[in-house]
Amino acid sequence: MPIPSRAALVEHLVRTRIAGDVATPRDNNLSHYRRLANGDRHYWLGLELGDRWTDEQDVLAVMAERCGVNDDPEHRAGQDTIDPELTVAGLDRMAARLRKAAAGRERVLFATGHPGGLLDVHRRTADALRAAGCEIVAIPGGLQADEGMVYQVAGVAVLERGATLWHTHSPVPMAAILDGLARDGSPLPELVVADHGWAGCAAQRGFDTVGYADSNDPALFIGEAEGTLQVTVPLDDHVYDPRFYEPMTDYLLDAAGLPV
């Protein structure tokens, strides 16, 4: 398949509901913004937000600017949106950081809390960086977190419980990886590519971090606004067919100058 143009990718994102009118309902988005503002650490995704974001309207303003949700505080139910132009702009920023990683043959760590949707996006990006000469960080064996095991599938760190790859927002698995690497005296990553609490934890600890986030996960967008994360790409992080992400990944790798 040819690499999609920017316009073709925008059309694809809207058609597959990766962006545009997404499945995440407005009331769910607003509930998460409120809980973040009320100090619920589950919604901070490993970041330390202090008392800087105690007004949910400030959170909504960031999400309207950086994700493209409806900025009307009176819109409280029904459909919400992700701006596909912001998604592609985020991919372009991520591509620039991946290009830098490839040029410097950096050590890169991949992790996902959304294996049902984003595992193959991360896997393909890891393969492309490896082909470009980067080292994909191998995590220590035997790591445990959140009543599960942390290990790698195709170079991507995941949480496993009961023979199932787990959907998790928790920062604890990433903390286990970083602490394990330090304990073993292993080289730490120079770049982390992740999502959810995996990305938030790494960024909070000072690692260069780029990642993906849905419209109901405001913390990573706030992290980018504050400069803690380098890039947060807005998208629906679990559309019903993970193959829908393939043109997006093609675009990302091509923009980064990596093999597709």
Side-chain angles (χ1 to χ4, degrees):
M1 296 293 290
I3 305 301
S5 66
R6 183 186 185 95
L9 180 59
V10 165
E11 187 278 331
H12 172 80
L13 295 172
V14 172
R15 179 168 49 82
T16 58
R17 300 183 73 184
I18 294 172
D21 291 336
V22 293
T24 310
R26 177 66 167 191
D27 57 342
N28 181 264
N29 282 345
L30 294 180
S31 172
H32 287 204
Y33 304 168
R34 184 178 313 113
R35 292 178 185 185
L36 180 147
N38 288 341
D40 187 332
R41 291 298 186 97
H42 175 77
Y43 296 92
W44 288 15
L45 301 182
L47 294 167
E48 291 298 329
L49 303 180
D51 58 0
R52 300 185 297 279
W53 298 92
T54 57
D55 187 337
E56 67 181 277
Q57 299 307 318
D58 291 340
V59 179
L60 174 60
V62 169
M63 294 303 293
E65 176 188 8
R66 293 182 175 267
C67 184
V69 303
N70 191 313
D71 65 356
D72 180 3
E74 299 306 313
H75 176 51
R76 309 203 66 81
Q79 189 68 55
D80 213 339
T81 56
I82 292 174
D83 185 342
E85 294 288 349
L86 293 177
T87 303
V88 179
L91 292 169
D92 288 338
R93 295 195 306 278
M94 182 181 285
R97 185 61 186 85
L98 296 177
R99 183 183 292 270
K100 177 183 176 184
R105 298 192 171 186
E106 293 180 352
R107 293 183 302 278
V108 188
L109 174 62
F110 286 84
T112 185
H114 237 305
L118 298 180
L119 179 60
D120 204 49
V121 176
H122 289 300
R123 189 272 306 170
R124 288 186 58 199
T125 310
D127 287 349
L129 284 175
R130 185 184 291 110
C134 289
E135 175 188 347
I136 305 306
V137 174
I139 70 172
L143 295 178
Q144 299 183 39
D146 292 337
E147 301 179 347
M149 298 297 297
V150 183
Y151 60 77
Q152 284 173 299
V153 174
V156 184
V158 293
L159 179 67
E160 181 270 344
R161 289 184 192 164
T164 300
L165 302 187
W166 208 255
H167 171 214
T168 177
H169 289 71
S170 173
V172 175
M174 177 59 79
I177 292 172
L178 298 175
D179 290 345
L181 290 170
R183 182 179 61 248
D184 292 352
S186 300
L188 295 172
E190 296 166 282
L191 174 65
V192 175
V193 184
D195 49 68
H196 285 181
W198 307 78
C201 175
Q204 185 62 45
R205 292 197 180 196
F207 293 93
D208 281 9
T209 303
V210 299
Y212 302 94
D214 208 330
S215 59
N216 63 355
D217 291 327
L220 298 189
F221 295 99
I222 288 174
E224 185 182 21
E226 293 193 326
T228 311
L229 272 85
Q230 293 194 336
V231 179
T232 300
V233 178
L235 48 66
D236 186 318
D237 54 17
H238 195 109
V239 293
Y240 74 88
D241 188 341
R243 290 175 294 185
F244 289 162
Y245 296 108
E246 290 176 3
M248 182 194 81
T249 311
D250 291 343
Y251 178 93
L252 171 69
L253 298 180
D254 183 69
L258 295 170
V260 176

